[in-house]
Amino acid sequence: MELNPHYLKIWKTVQAIPEGKVSSYGQIADLAGLPGRSRLVGKCLGYIPENGVDGFPVPWYRVIRSSGEIAFESGSEKYQEQRSCLLQEGVTVKGRRVSMKEFQWQPDLSELLFKLVN
DNA sequence: TTTATGACGAAAT
DNA sequence: CATTTCGCCATAA
């Protein structure tokens, strides 16, 4: 499972989410060229390499459900971590949810273009 | 090879 | 809102 090409593609796509913005599992799947595979995105975020990808960390915490909810169980360790990471970079989290209307990443043309180059 | 599983999603109730 | 139901599909074992 180490060098799964889909995982690599997904991790890199997640790295493109800017600070202060969030994306959904489904959106990442789409942008990574894997439509319909939102569940795969969730799964592989649990296998992020210790040292990051291409020398950069993978901001897994910027990925939430399309509903705006944090996927982890309230109160769990991961839930707390994700929540504080988001708050720390300016994303408002009310209870367990984020306003997608306000914070969802809307990739612009140059960002998409950048992605095409690999 | 087959099967159960999942950090999902959308729609219906 | 909350809960259910069903579709989804590559993995992992």
Side-chain angles (χ1 to χ4, degrees):
Chain A
M1 158 241 115
E2 268 308 300
L3 282 77
N4 185 312
H6 283 171
Y7 285 0
L8 189 58
K9 188 76 178 143
I10 291 169
W11 291 325
K12 287 187 165 191
T13 303
V14 171
Q15 288 181 320
I17 305 172
E19 185 178 331
K21 287 291 171 187
V22 298
S23 183
S24 69
Y25 298 94
Q27 180 180 20
I28 292 302
D30 287 342
L31 293 175
L34 303 165
R37 271 154 283 188
S38 53
R39 307 186 86 133
L40 184 62
V41 172
K43 181 177 289 187
C44 92
L45 285 184
Y47 294 129
I48 295 172
E50 191 61 46
N51 308 309
V53 173
D54 284 344
F56 293 95
V58 178
W60 57 271
Y61 57 84
R62 293 182 188 143
V63 185
I64 60 184
R65 290 186 180 149
S66 60
S67 62
E69 279 194 307
I70 286 177
F72 297 104
E73 181 189 0
S74 292
S76 67
E77 188 105 13
K78 289 302 236 172
Y79 169 80
Q80 298 288 1
E81 184 183 358
Q82 180 161 28
R83 190 164 189 281
S84 56
C85 281
L86 289 174
L87 289 172
Q88 195 175 312
E89 55 182 51
V91 175
T92 303
V93 187
K94 291 175 165 178
R96 49 185 289 103
R97 65 176 29 217
V98 170
S99 164
M100 290 307 261
K101 202 174 93 158
E102 267 189 272
F103 298 102
Q104 182 168 41
W105 175 38
Q106 319 267 316
D108 64 34
L109 223 47
S110 61
E111 286 176 289
L112 289 175
L113 221 43
F114 167 73
K115 291 190 48 49
L116 287 180
V117 186
N118 75 86

